[in-house]
Amino acid sequence: MKNILVPTDFSNNAYNALFYITQLLKDTHCTFHILNCYDGRTKVLTKKGGEPNEKELPYALRVDSKEGLVKTKHRIVLDTGYEKHSFESISKKGDLIKTVEKLIKDLQIDLVVMGNKGITGAKDIFLGSNTTKVIHAGLACPVLTVPKEIDFKIPKNLALVTDYKNCISAEQMATIIEIAGISEATIRVMHINEKERLDKFETSNMNTLTKYLEEIDHSFHWMPKFSSKTEAIQLFLEELEIDMLIMFHSEHSLMEKIFGEPVIKKITFDIELPFLVINLPK
């Protein structure tokens, strides 16, 4: 991974995501592109403490964005100081998703990293609205979300949750393999046992995944079917002391099914773990 995009709203949660990824990649040569997107709905105060009027707003938003980026860059350099890292600041007016999509293409971004809740994030939701939008946008690169309250520790146990219904390419596995290699981690592949046996297509996909993991310490696990998939995943994460959750995302993926479960079933899906989403082509 050479180019990392880290959107920020200058919240503690956003900064924690930036700090986490710098720690994870501390021995890797890479550039962190710190992005702040703003529009007319972004809250900003004048130097006098009041809200700017309509004429002052565009200028105030631009200044607030650039000043926030300067402070963030200064803070992360002081907090880390790794010689292999460089930081670039990007201030953009406009829609977050469209901006992220364009930057992924223009800067050849390898990974997008975000806090899992923004500056107004409620405590009772798993992912904040902006983070959810970014994940569901089906970006051309993986997305890593990081909880606010966690202290960094090297992820030694990675949970890859799959239903084997998608044929995964080596390119789509690359980020997972790289993180596992950097961390000298074990990948725990989890499958929810919804039927007695896999069909031919699912078996082929499992065999392909096995080949990708040949040089990585790994294990395969079959979880019994619960009334809620989130309940099964939650139990697995706790029992195996997982440090990072990984899922594939596409229109009809297991992850989409989980997001589509009734609120009463997924209310406990409050995972305080880094969550890596690998987007699959539509």
Side-chain angles (χ1 to χ4, degrees):
M1 288 180 278
K2 294 182 179 179
N3 288 295
I4 315 298
L5 181 63
V6 188
T8 180
D9 58 1
F10 307 126
S11 64
N12 289 334
N13 197 14
Y15 183 80
N16 190 61
L18 174 61
F19 182 79
Y20 181 94
I21 194 61
T22 59
Q23 299 304 298
L24 183 63
L25 302 178
K26 66 178 182 179
D27 295 319
T28 303
H29 284 283
C30 51
T31 300
F32 298 90
H33 304 271
I34 309 171
L35 166 69
N36 176 249
C37 258
Y38 62 91
D39 58 24
R41 295 168 295 178
T42 306
K43 189 173 182 180
V44 62
L45 298 176
T46 64
K47 291 183 178 180
K48 295 180 180 180
E51 293 187 5
N53 59 42
E54 189 173 340
K55 186 179 293 186
E56 296 172 323
L57 185 59
Y59 175 76
L61 287 169
R62 186 167 63 253
V63 170
D64 192 64
S65 175
K66 291 184 176 181
E67 288 182 350
L69 287 168
V70 169
K71 291 177 182 177
T72 300
K73 182 178 177 179
H74 181 68
R75 180 182 176 187
I76 194 64
V77 169
L78 286 177
D79 286 349
T80 58
Y82 299 126
E83 293 182 358
K84 295 182 179 181
H85 292 174
S86 61
F87 298 90
E88 299 293 337
S89 299
I90 305 171
S91 175
K92 291 286 185 180
K93 178 183 178 181
D95 179 75
L96 174 64
I97 303 301
K98 291 180 180 178
T99 301
V100 169
E101 288 177 332
K102 187 175 188 304
L103 290 174
I104 288 173
K105 183 178 180 180
D106 293 348
L107 300 176
Q108 298 182 311
I109 297 297
D110 300 300
L111 178 68
V112 175
V113 182
M114 299 182 70
N116 66 0
K117 299 184 185 75
I119 199 165
T120 59
K123 292 182 179 179
D124 59 344
I125 59 173
F126 171 41
L127 296 174
S129 59
N130 278 337
T131 308
T132 300
K133 288 176 184 177
V134 168
I135 287 175
H136 283 272
L139 301 176
C141 74
V143 178
L144 176 66
T145 71
V146 181
K148 175 183 175 182
E149 301 299 333
I150 67 166
D151 293 323
F152 177 80
K153 70 172 183 176
I154 299 173
K156 290 294 186 180
N157 274 311
L158 313 181
L160 174 56
V161 179
T162 177
D163 56 8
Y164 299 121
K165 294 187 183 298
N166 296 101
C167 185
I168 308 303
S169 69
E171 182 181 2
Q172 289 153 0
M173 284 294 297
T175 301
I176 301 172
I177 299 297
E178 184 170 355
I179 290 176
I182 289 170
S183 306
E184 298 182 345
T186 298
I187 296 178
R188 312 289 187 184
V189 183
M190 175 203 161
H191 173 72
I192 298 175
N193 191 18
E194 295 189 277
K195 52 188 179 182
E196 289 187 8
R197 62 183 65 185
L198 301 178
D199 61 29
K200 288 184 179 181
F201 180 69
E202 292 164 348
T203 301
S204 174
N205 291 337
M206 186 182 76
N207 291 337
T208 300
L209 184 59
T210 303
K211 290 179 181 178
Y212 292 145
L213 298 176
E214 281 180 343
E215 297 183 9
I216 299 291
D217 188 23
H218 66 278
S219 58
F220 287 86
H221 304 262
W222 295 67
M223 289 292 287
K225 184 179 179 181
F226 286 69
S227 60
S228 164
K229 294 180 177 65
T230 58
E231 184 182 353
I233 294 171
Q234 192 91 44
L235 180 62
F236 181 79
L237 299 180
E238 292 171 359
E239 287 187 345
L240 275 77
E241 298 182 345
I242 296 299
D243 301 311
M244 181 182 291
L245 171 63
I246 306 167
M247 296 185 76
F248 299 109
H249 176 251
S250 65
E251 189 175 353
H252 300 293
S253 64
L254 174 62
M255 185 177 151
E256 277 295 302
K257 293 176 183 176
I258 288 172
F259 272 82
E261 283 191 342
V263 174
I264 192 66
K265 285 188 176 182
K266 65 179 180 182
I267 195 69
T268 58
F269 201 51
D270 187 18
I271 300 170
E272 291 303 313
L273 292 175
F275 180 29
L276 178 64
V277 178
I278 309 295
N279 290 303
L280 303 179
K282 296 180 181 179

